Amino acid sequence: TAYFEGRLLQCRHCPLKTRCMHNPKAADHRKGAGRQVSFHLDGKRKPTYTDWMKHRVDSDRGKAIYGHRLSVVEPVFGNMGFNKRLSRFSLRGKAKVQGQWQLYCMVHNIEKLKNYGRLSS
């Protein structure tokens, strides 16, 4: 199943809005909202990379991998943002930002080694 969320301007001129929307006149108003619909691919178009990733993540193996990611990757970004207060980079330019990010990662990794007792205090 693929999902599509129509924006106001997309729904306004769509010939299918009378079949798709409960209140098609809502799309004609300035404050009207679009509609999210779902449909089966039925071979009408080739699957996209997004469809492929949804299939992979929804599989049993994908759920296990994603669940593991929550315990491995997400705490790193939480530590960077909250404990080290890295909400923005203070430097400009790709090379400088990359260097600053690598320094933060190095500090994070040293702290992990120290907490696991691999480095002497």
Side-chain angles (χ1 to χ4, degrees):
T1 303
Y3 294 94
F4 170 77
E5 185 172 348
R7 304 249 185 262
L8 176 64
L9 292 176
Q10 292 170 323
C11 292
R12 184 174 290 165
H13 302 292
C14 178
L16 302 175
K17 73 178 179 181
T18 55
R19 295 192 317 193
C20 167
M21 299 179 74
H22 293 293
N23 183 9
K25 293 181 180 180
D28 297 333
H29 299 290
R30 184 170 170 252
K31 293 187 178 183
R35 174 158 168 88
Q36 180 175 336
V37 296
S38 61
F39 54 91
H40 293 284
L41 295 176
D42 297 330
K44 294 179 183 177
R45 66 173 172 85
K46 292 181 180 178
T48 62
Y49 288 113
T50 304
D51 299 329
W52 179 70
M53 282 305 298
K54 284 180 185 177
H55 177 73
R56 285 189 67 188
V57 170
D58 289 341
S59 69
D60 291 336
R61 184 168 183 258
K63 288 177 184 176
I65 291 171
Y66 192 75
H68 181 68
R69 177 182 184 259
L70 292 176
S71 64
V72 174
V73 176
E74 300 299 335
V76 175
F77 291 110
N79 180 29
M80 296 285 191
F82 186 77
N83 296 336
K84 295 181 178 49
R85 295 181 177 92
L86 179 64
S87 59
R88 296 177 187 208
F89 291 101
S90 58
L91 302 172
R92 298 291 176 257
K94 188 175 180 179
K96 292 178 184 177
V97 167
Q98 186 175 10
Q100 186 178 3
W101 175 251
Q102 288 173 343
L103 284 172
Y104 272 92
C105 291
M106 186 171 54
V107 169
H108 174 79
N109 289 332
I110 290 170
E111 286 176 348
K112 281 180 72 171
L113 290 173
K114 187 175 181 180
N115 289 337
Y116 287 122
R118 294 184 184 155
L119 290 178
S120 58
S121 300

